[in-house]
Amino acid sequence: MNLIGTARRDAAWMGRVNALIRYGVLIGVGLIMLYPLFWMVAASFKPNHEIFGSVNLWPKDPTLDGVVKGWRTGTEYSFATYLLNSFMFIIPKVVLTVVSSVLVAYGFARFRMPGKQLWFALMVATILLPKSVLLIPQYLMFRELGWLDTYLPLYIPCAFATDGFFVFMVVQFLRGIPPDMEEAAVIDGCNSLQVLWHVVVPVIMPAIISIALFQFMWSLNDFLYPLIYLSSVGKYPVALALKMAIDVTEATAWNQVLAMSTIALLPSLIVFFLAQRYFVEGITSGSVKG
Amino acid sequence: MAKGRVQLHGVMKSFGAVDVIKGVDLEIAPGELTVFVGPSGCGKSTLLRLVSGLELPTGGSIMIGDRDVTLVHPSERGIAMVFQSYALYPHMSVAENMGFGLKIAGLPKNLIKEKVARAAEILQLTPLLDRKPRALSGGQRQRVAIGRCIVREPEVFLFDEPLSNLDAALRGQMRVEIARLHAKLGATMIYVTHDQVEAMTLATRIVVLNAGRVEQIGAPIELYRHPANLFVAGFIGSPRMNFMDGLVDGAEADSVSVRLNGATLRLPRHNADVRPGAKVTVGIRPEHFRVGPGVDAGDDQAVEFDSVIDLVERLGGETLAHLRMPSLSDGVLVVKMSGDIALRIGTGLRVGVRLAQCHLFDAQGRAVGEPGSRAAVAA
Ligand SMILES: Nc1ncnc2c1ncn2[C@@H]1O[C@H](COP(=O)(O)OP(=O)(O)O)[C@@H](O)[C@H]1O
Ligand SMILES: [Mg+2]
């Protein structure tokens, strides 16, 4: 009895030590990974000379100078313009991506069509295609259309389910869902689009939210495409504005750049935390069921 | 008055090169509860889906009521279907699930509500109307699925193995509920199952399917008493019928003599089309044996066999004895006795059976001739 009691106490103690080590390591690694982020946020509130002059994370004399000046930017537009510009193409891009990807995925997952295997393979192959291969032909095409220096080249392609990865993701998700519900809806009198809207879309909502989130974050961070297609500074999105702030003058005001980077992070963070529940569910259930 | 009548004429269905339904002719009278029964993979679900319109036939035609619906959209055929998986819409409440078809049809909200309430009343779902399907038990989901059908007031209800996801106790209970519902609504119902007990207890008529063909159609007791072939004989009844190989000795106008296990049986048959020397199979149901020493001594309308007890299954209300005997196609013979009978394994047992209760099948598996007299068989 006593022996068992001791053994049990030993086991409990070992368990606690184990947990301590485990969480210690996790927290340590987590801090290392997040350190640059903390540093960036902290540096936004430092005067410029302090950023490289001191190793302290915490600002010695905190100031809003970087944020205020950064917001004004060195250009004729304030940072608000650039944020707004970003949303000018990101919102249509997200909407078009979701609509087109879901439509195409529904077609692949549920309808019989000649050569379906081949089309699907082709679509998956486009995922593997390096983006840079298409840059020049696309540029020439959009130039012919007279779309340079507009947001159209940034989001119109998304209306045609060009993001094969998203289509693939939804197809996998749909494959894990038995079609009985949709058949019941057909008997209840739905046509294919009504089935999609009333039954399929609510069921695959986690996948849809995941797509929207991914597309939102990737687009906000996208640097290359806006750089290629936009030439007027007044149309620049956040990513380009940040770059501009770095190279307008020789002596970069790093505190301003970092303050703007911090602000640029906020939309992604806010959207992510709002949708976190669905986002995580979407990724896991999509992969487990698929 | 053909409302609720279903007719299939030479219906065929192939998936690619695979013929799943190989020509089915069938007429279902209004108000009948017809059960499609057969082993797994024989095409029951496919046949039901052809009636529902979820699949289109590759040949033949389908009529519901007076209309040819072969190519009509499922929602316009006047059918409603209960799926094996229930197929409820997970994001809708019970009430929304049941009213969805009416909503799509564009009915006004208050009318939908009224109809849903009435169906919920019938199925005792009223307290659950606001719940989501995931908050319901299996039996409740099943009832919601049925409610969704009732609300649409179809000419024909279709059920695809609706009870196979329920546990045994609930299955029995739901079976009774479906029978009651049929009596109450008086609608035509087609019910698919692989379980012959479900088929026997529910059906007004059974369609036995095997490998995409109809083996026999008839009332449950008709199939039990007069199976048209070996397949139906083996499929209907539990435990299944015993089969023994025999040889035809001779055939007369009112009887066939069969040599079996050393004995010669004169089975009453009218105008049997068999030749002496032909191979036949004699079938005897486990419950038709009578047990004990000298059971049928001196009765020339009966035959007796000696056997050795191989295994005993005591179920309380009945006892199953597995017997060993030479010349059995199955190897063992199963005998069912009512009551709890203590039998010793390895001891001998003498069993008898009335000749009128022996089934006879030719080498192709077809039942031979008209049975002697129906009254005698029924006895
Ligand atoms: N959509 C389909 N495509 C190809 N084969 C199918 C399809 N549906 C059913 N089958 C085949 O048809 C046969 C009968 O299936 P089913 O009607 O579901 O049988 P049951 O319901 O009697 O078990 C099976 O062999 C099955 O593999
Ligand atoms: Mg089936």
Side-chain angles (χ1 to χ4, degrees):
Chain A
M1 186 68 207
N2 206 359
L3 236 150
I4 294 170
T6 317
R8 201 177 286 161
R9 220 171 317 128
D10 279 357
W13 189 77
M14 281 297 289
R16 226 167 300 148
V17 169
N18 248 332
L20 211 71
I21 295 173
R22 209 161 45 226
Y23 287 112
V25 170
L26 281 175
I27 290 169
V29 173
L31 280 178
I32 293 172
M33 283 171 62
L34 287 174
Y35 183 79
L37 196 67
F38 293 143
W39 184 82
M40 181 183 85
V41 175
S44 317
F45 300 100
K46 290 175 180 171
N48 206 27
H49 61 83
E50 193 191 327
I51 291 180
F52 300 107
S54 130
V55 286
N56 270 348
L57 190 60
W58 201 252
K60 224 181 301 159
D61 8 73
T63 165
L64 280 177
D65 196 47
V67 180
V68 173
K69 286 214 183 109
W71 186 265
R72 263 193 251 126
T73 75
T75 64
E76 53 189 303
Y77 307 98
S78 82
F79 200 72
T81 310
Y82 300 121
L83 264 178
L84 219 67
N85 285 345
S86 280
F87 288 111
M88 287 290 284
F89 70 90
I90 290 176
I91 289 172
K93 193 171 173 180
V94 168
V95 171
L96 288 175
T97 303
V98 165
V99 171
S100 64
S101 302
V102 167
L103 268 174
V104 171
Y106 180 53
F108 271 124
R110 292 293 192 256
F111 290 87
R112 265 170 259 169
M113 55 180 131
K116 183 158 103 171
Q117 301 283 332
L118 178 69
W119 301 127
F120 192 69
L122 272 178
M123 191 216 61
V124 172
T126 63
I127 303 174
L128 308 175
L129 203 64
K131 284 249 171 315
S132 45
V133 169
L134 291 174
L135 281 180
I136 292 172
Q138 269 184 346
Y139 182 84
L140 295 178
M141 187 176 89
F142 290 128
R143 192 182 61 184
E144 288 307 306
L145 291 171
W147 286 0
L148 295 187
D149 203 25
T150 69
Y151 296 124
L152 295 175
L154 300 181
Y155 65 78
I156 289 297
C158 294
F160 302 96
T162 42
D163 282 295
F165 174 70
F166 294 136
V167 177
F168 182 73
M169 199 172 120
V170 178
V171 168
Q172 290 303 95
F173 200 88
L174 275 171
R175 280 184 181 156
I177 297 170
D180 298 17
M181 270 181 281
E182 293 152 50
E183 290 178 344
V186 167
I187 291 179
D188 268 341
C190 292
N191 60 37
S192 297
L193 280 180
Q194 284 173 315
V195 172
L196 180 64
W197 179 247
H198 290 291
V199 178
V200 177
V201 165
V203 170
I204 63 167
M205 198 41 101
I208 290 178
I209 288 174
S210 305
I211 293 177
L213 271 173
F214 275 126
Q215 187 65 296
F216 181 86
M217 293 194 222
W218 290 347
S219 305
L220 196 61
N221 293 334
D222 187 21
F223 183 79
L224 188 59
Y225 282 77
L227 181 69
I228 292 173
Y229 292 112
L230 300 176
S231 44
S232 331
V233 174
K235 291 180 180 169
Y236 274 15
V238 170
L240 290 186
L242 285 176
K243 174 72 179 76
M244 232 178 5
I246 295 173
D247 59 16
V248 270
T249 52
E250 298 263 304
T252 303
W254 284 108
N255 60 341
Q256 296 176 19
V257 174
L258 293 171
M260 286 311 94
S261 305
T262 307
I263 294 175
L265 258 183
L266 290 180
S268 287
L269 279 180
I270 292 170
V271 168
F272 178 80
F273 282 112
L274 282 181
Q276 187 189 25
R277 197 162 55 91
Y278 302 98
F279 184 52
V280 173
E281 188 182 335
I283 293 173
T284 52
S285 56
S287 56
V288 170
K289 281 181 189 161
Chain B
M1 270 310 287
K3 194 172 184 304
R5 186 181 62 188
V6 179
Q7 290 167 292
L8 308 186
H9 299 292
V11 169
M12 287 187 268
K13 178 69 186 177
S14 313
F15 291 107
V18 187
D19 299 330
V20 174
I21 302 294
K22 298 163 187 165
V24 169
D25 291 286
L26 188 61
E27 176 159 349
I28 296 171
E32 263 190 329
L33 200 169
T34 301
V35 174
F36 294 170
V37 71
S40 196
C42 69
K44 309 177 294 287
S45 296
T46 305
L47 194 57
L48 193 75
R49 290 165 61 84
L50 287 167
V51 175
S52 76
L54 290 172
E55 302 282 356
L56 294 179
T58 36
S61 68
I62 300 168
M63 308 231 344
I64 295 178
D66 291 322
R67 282 194 309 154
D68 185 330
V69 297
T70 313
L71 299 174
V72 169
H73 189 269
S75 67
E76 283 152 21
R77 292 187 177 206
I79 54 106
M81 183 154 164
V82 175
F83 292 81
Q84 183 172 350
S85 62
Y86 318 133
L88 300 178
Y89 312 123
H91 54 288
M92 297 184 202
S93 69
V94 168
E96 286 167 333
N97 261 285
M98 287 165 66
F100 183 65
L102 304 181
K103 185 177 139 191
I104 291 296
L107 260 68
K109 276 211 177 79
N110 53 348
L111 193 59
I112 296 177
K113 208 169 163 195
E114 198 178 297
K115 289 189 180 216
V116 168
R118 206 178 317 137
E121 194 68 39
I122 295 174
L123 294 162
Q124 292 144 26
L125 285 171
T126 311
L128 306 177
L129 280 177
D130 293 325
R131 289 222 198 145
K132 290 275 165 65
R134 67 170 167 276
L136 301 177
S137 69
Q140 290 168 334
R141 285 179 203 184
Q142 186 61 75
R143 289 216 294 274
V144 175
I146 295 173
R148 188 163 64 181
C149 293
I150 293 178
V151 166
R152 305 189 64 228
E153 296 168 12
E155 276 184 60
V156 184
F157 284 79
L158 308 176
F159 295 87
D160 191 357
E161 311 224 12
L163 306 186
S164 56
N165 282 345
L166 303 177
D167 59 54
L170 204 51
R171 207 178 302 156
Q173 193 184 322
M174 283 304 295
R175 202 169 66 201
V176 174
E177 274 190 44
I178 289 177
R180 205 173 284 150
L181 191 73
H182 177 242
K184 193 165 187 169
L185 299 176
T188 309
M189 293 186 177
I190 305 179
Y191 185 106
V192 163
T193 179
H194 65 271
D195 179 355
Q196 57 97 15
V197 176
E198 240 169 64
M200 293 294 284
T201 49
L202 274 176
T204 43
R205 233 155 47 111
I206 294 180
V207 177
V208 182
L209 290 168
N210 183 29
R213 285 208 171 79
V214 174
E215 292 281 353
Q216 192 174 359
I217 303 176
I221 214 66
E222 173 83 9
L223 296 194
Y224 176 82
R225 285 184 186 155
H226 307 295
N229 50 51
L230 268 178
F231 180 82
V232 176
F235 196 81
I236 301 289
S238 171
R240 76 195 281 269
M241 188 186 279
N242 298 292
F243 295 120
M244 296 177 259
D245 294 334
L247 278 179
V248 174
D249 231 14
E252 282 149 52
D254 63 347
S255 74
V256 175
S257 301
V258 177
R259 245 182 306 129
L260 176 79
N261 211 19
T264 300
L265 281 60
R266 263 173 63 100
L267 303 175
R269 284 293 184 280
H270 285 307
N271 306 321
D273 178 24
V274 281
R275 296 220 173 82
K279 279 188 183 162
V280 288
T281 304
V282 174
I284 304 169
R285 293 202 182 276
E287 53 272 35
H288 287 158
F289 282 105
R290 281 177 284 175
V291 181
V295 271
D296 288 309
D299 184 351
D300 69 347
Q301 289 307 305
V303 62
E304 289 175 50
F305 307 99
D306 280 313
S307 66
V308 178
I309 298 172
D310 202 31
L311 182 77
V312 180
E313 295 175 283
R314 289 164 74 176
L315 305 176
E318 60 197 36
T319 304
L320 302 180
H322 296 240
L323 310 177
R324 252 181 299 130
M325 223 190 296
S327 86
L328 290 182
S329 26
D330 280 3
V332 282
L333 188 78
V334 178
V335 172
K336 180 160 137 183
M337 294 156 276
S338 59
D340 184 16
I341 299 167
L343 294 170
R344 281 257 301 286
I345 291 171
T347 56
L349 187 69
R350 197 166 171 78
V351 293
V353 64
R354 293 178 64 89
L355 291 175
Q357 288 179 320
C358 294
H359 299 264
L360 186 62
F361 304 95
D362 65 16
Q364 280 75 48
R366 288 175 306 221
V368 172
E370 275 287 297
S373 117
R374 297 206 167 180
V377 177

